[in-house]
């Protein structure tokens, strides 16, 4: 039985991992200096203050928020479509963001001019990823108004993703080696793309999406009983599907734009939560998925930070290595019960 103590334990573990992400890194900084910097003090080494406030802190916050957002998106889609393989990328939103970035890097050469002003570098990539993701989301939302069945909409989303992937392949084929390398680096994913100046906007959108997802707990519980039963109880299934796609699309678009196409978390975390806490009540599943997703992403971000001068691993190189054995273990354990 799910208890409040389980939620409390996940909160405590999240806080501990968040603190470790700030304390640990490639550069060794004394704990006393780290605490002094976090509480407004002045560090004896100016570079330490930059590392803590402008690198580790925003990266830990980004990992926490992104993990929660992607995990909730996976849970919402898996419940609504009754498909265990559903995740934020299944509707092509991540591919749409990838197509937007591919156009910026491979087609426009890394810079684009809008209304007389030129943008390049990270700003151009961020804009391309967000516009690409939102364009695909608009297509999916339009299809949701004319398509009745969940399976048909799911297939339509997969086809949109294939079209985006095909366009990306063509752009890669005709691009230069430098452009392909730049796009490959973006596609590896990283939680270091959000600065402290960008954090208020990033966090506000993510927290707003998470709040609205919690409001869907009751209709999602009703939907588990069947679409017809939910409609008989007064649930507008068509409207529910529209808001569900809007929330998941927005969260996925924002995370992908800032962090790249982060894989695995949205697919795997909901399964692990259901195995750890066997319940179908979304009043508990949603907050637990948020917290466990934050735990997984913070753990992966911690592994990405290598000691010494070896640099930082891309997030997509770590998430499957950590998550796949965990899922296999729990799946085998479930089969043996």
């Amino acid at each position: 039985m799910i208890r409040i103590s389980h939620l409390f334990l996940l909160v405590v573990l999240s806080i501990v991992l968040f603190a470790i992400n700030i304390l640990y890194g490639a550069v060794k900084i004394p704990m006393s200096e780290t605490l002094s910097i976090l509480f407004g003090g002045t560090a004896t080494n100016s570079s330490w203050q930059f590392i803590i406030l402008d690198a580790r802190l925003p990266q830990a916050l980004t990992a926490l928020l992104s993990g929660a957002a992607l995990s909730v998106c996976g849970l919402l889609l898996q419940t609504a479509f009754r498909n265990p393989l559903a995740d934020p990328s299944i509707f092509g939103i991540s591919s749409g963001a990838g197509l937007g970035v591919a156009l910026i890097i491979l087609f426009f050469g890394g810079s684009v001019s809008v209304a007389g002003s030129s943008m390049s570098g990270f700003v151009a990539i961020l804009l391309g990823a967000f516009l690409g993701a939102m364009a695909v989301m608009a297509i999916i939302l339009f299809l949701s108004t004319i398509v009745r069945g969940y399976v048909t909409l799911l297939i339509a989303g997969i086809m949109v993703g294939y079209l985006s992937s095909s366009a990306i392949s063509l752009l890669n084929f005709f691009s230069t080696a430098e452009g392909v390398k730049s796009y490959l680096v973006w596609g590896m994913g990283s939680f270091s793309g959000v600065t402290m100046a960008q954090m208020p906007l990033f966090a506000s959108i993510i927290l707003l999406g998470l709040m609205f997802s919690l409001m869907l707990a009751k209709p999602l519980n009703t939907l588990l009983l069947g679409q017809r039963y939910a409609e008989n109880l007064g649930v507008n299934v068509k409207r529910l599907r529209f808001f569900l796609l809007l929330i998941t699309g927005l969260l996925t678009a924002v995370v992908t734009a800032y962090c790249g196409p982060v894989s695995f978390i949205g697919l795997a975390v909901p399964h692990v939560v259901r195995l750890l806490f066997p319940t179908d009540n979304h009043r508990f599943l949603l907050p637990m998925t948020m917290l466990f997703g934050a735990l997984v992403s913070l753990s992966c971000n911690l592994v990405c930070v290598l000691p010494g001068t070896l640099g930082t691993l891309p997030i997509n190189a770590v998430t499957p290595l950590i998550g796949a054995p965990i899922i296999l273990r729990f799946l085998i354990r479930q089969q043996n019960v």
Side-chain angles (χ1 to χ4, degrees):
M1 181 180 179
I2 306 301
R3 298 177 181 176
I4 301 299
S5 58
H6 294 145
L7 291 173
F8 179 75
L9 177 62
L10 290 179
V11 170
V12 172
L13 289 175
S14 299
I15 294 173
V16 171
L17 265 177
F18 183 83
I20 295 175
N21 270 263
I22 297 177
L23 293 171
Y24 174 79
V27 178
K28 292 184 178 180
I29 302 176
M31 184 182 296
S32 58
E33 292 285 342
T34 302
L35 293 175
S36 175
I37 293 170
L38 290 174
F39 287 101
T42 303
T44 56
N45 189 330
S46 60
S47 62
W48 290 352
Q49 190 157 350
F50 175 83
I51 291 171
I52 296 297
L53 297 180
D54 295 307
R56 293 184 187 176
L57 180 59
Q59 191 168 351
L61 287 171
T62 303
L64 186 147
L65 292 170
S66 299
L70 294 175
S71 301
V72 164
C73 289
L75 176 63
L76 294 177
L77 294 174
Q78 289 169 14
T79 300
F81 290 90
R82 296 192 175 186
N83 188 329
L85 297 178
D87 74 330
S89 64
I90 197 166
F91 286 105
I93 299 172
S94 296
S95 298
L99 178 58
V101 173
L103 287 171
I104 296 295
I105 295 177
L106 305 177
F107 187 77
F108 292 107
S111 63
V112 62
S113 297
V114 179
S117 61
S118 179
M119 289 179 291
S120 61
F122 176 76
V123 176
I125 291 174
L126 179 63
L127 178 65
F130 186 76
L131 292 179
M134 296 305 290
V136 172
M137 189 186 77
I139 295 173
I140 299 301
L141 288 174
F142 171 74
L143 291 175
S144 70
T145 61
I146 60 177
V147 172
R148 280 189 168 186
Y150 281 113
V151 177
T152 306
L153 182 61
L154 194 64
I155 295 173
I158 294 173
M159 293 303 105
V160 171
Y162 278 133
L163 288 173
S164 300
S165 298
S166 177
I168 292 170
S169 298
L170 289 173
L171 288 170
N172 273 301
F173 182 79
F174 291 106
S175 181
T176 62
E178 292 79 7
V180 173
K181 182 179 179 180
S182 298
Y183 181 77
L184 181 63
V185 170
W186 175 83
M188 290 180 178
S190 173
F191 290 134
S192 60
V194 184
T195 64
M196 283 306 294
Q198 298 166 336
M199 184 57 65
L201 176 62
F202 178 79
S204 298
I205 297 174
I206 297 295
L207 292 174
L208 192 64
L210 295 177
M211 182 185 70
F212 279 116
S213 67
L214 290 172
M215 295 171 62
L216 296 178
K218 185 176 180 180
L220 284 172
N221 285 339
T222 308
L223 196 62
L224 291 175
L225 302 174
Q227 183 171 336
R228 287 187 178 180
Y229 190 84
E231 290 175 346
N232 291 334
L233 291 177
V235 176
N236 190 327
V237 176
K238 194 172 184 179
R239 188 192 303 169
L240 173 63
R241 182 173 62 181
F242 180 86
F243 281 115
L244 186 146
L245 290 173
L246 184 63
I247 292 171
T248 56
L250 182 62
L251 289 175
T252 305
V254 172
V255 173
T256 306
Y258 279 96
C259 308
V262 180
S263 63
F264 173 79
I265 293 177
L267 173 64
V269 169
H271 290 292
V272 177
V273 171
R274 287 194 185 98
L275 290 170
L276 284 172
F277 309 103
T279 180
D280 291 325
N281 188 350
H282 284 77
R283 294 179 187 274
F284 291 100
L285 276 179
L286 282 168
M288 284 191 298
T289 302
M290 293 178 192
L291 291 170
F292 200 85
L295 279 173
V296 171
S297 58
L298 285 170
S299 301
C300 293
N301 186 63
L302 193 60
V303 174
C304 287
V305 181
L306 297 176
T309 58
L310 296 177
T312 303
L313 288 173
I315 194 67
N316 284 333
V318 176
T319 48
L321 293 176
I322 291 181
I326 295 175
I327 285 192
L328 288 174
R329 176 180 179 274
F330 281 107
L331 288 175
I332 295 172
R333 179 182 176 184
Q334 188 184 39
Q335 291 295 320
N336 292 332
V337 173

